[in-house]
Structures are given as structure tokens and as C-alpha cells.
Amino acid sequence: MDSTAKFVPVGEVSADERSRIAVGKAGVRRDDRYAVAVNDDGEILLTPLVSIPKRELLIWENAQIREAVSLGLLQSAANETTSLGDFSQYADDQDDE
């Protein structure tokens, strides 16, 4: 299978003195993140990615938790929630790590 079949040329660039390549012509914006892969022919593949905090990974790995969170967000958006009061007395003043 030819992995380059869906690629569209957007221009030509040269590496600068620090071996950096500007890829703004391809629609890349400041602070975008990419996984980088290189094949035996030297072709470079950039795959867009988003990093998430490790504490949120459980939601993405567990469909049941993900569905529960999604339902809660839908209920909240539809104003179908009930206030259970102020829980600040149970809050720890230190950030969790």
C-alpha cells in the first residue's frame, strides 16, 4: 500500500542552520503538536496529536466512564441537574500531583 497516495504537495522548503523546517504552508500553527515518523527512504510523516493529562487518560480508556461523563455533560447542558451544595469544606488546599 502506498502511504503517500493521499498526500498533496504544498510547496518546497529548506532546513535552516539549526536543521529546522518551517511547515506553515501546510497549515501548521504555533504550538501544534505532531508525532514524527521516518521511513527507510527518509520520508517524514507528521501526525497531528493532542496531549492530555495522565489523570484524564482513564476517561479515554474506559468506555463506561466516558459514557457516564458524556451523559453528565448532556444533563448539565440541558439544565437537568440538582445542586448538592458546597463541597469546599472537603477540598484540599494543595494541588493534586
Side-chain angles (χ1 to χ4, degrees), residues 8-71:
V8 176
V10 293
E12 186 174 307
V13 296
S14 297
D16 67 11
E17 67 280 351
R18 293 180 59 195
S19 301
R20 297 176 298 190
I21 297 176
V23 290
K25 292 179 182 179
V28 175
R29 297 181 316 265
R30 180 183 176 130
D31 297 328
D32 284 351
R33 297 179 58 89
Y34 291 84
V36 181
V38 179
N39 67 14
D40 291 339
D41 291 331
E43 295 173 320
I44 300 170
L45 176 64
L46 302 176
T47 304
L49 58 88
V50 176
S51 297
I52 61 169
K54 190 171 185 177
R55 67 179 181 271
E56 296 176 13
L57 184 59
L58 178 65
I59 294 171
W60 297 102
E61 293 178 332
N62 186 312
Q64 187 176 4
I65 293 173
R66 191 169 52 252
E67 289 169 10
V69 169
S70 180
L71 176 61

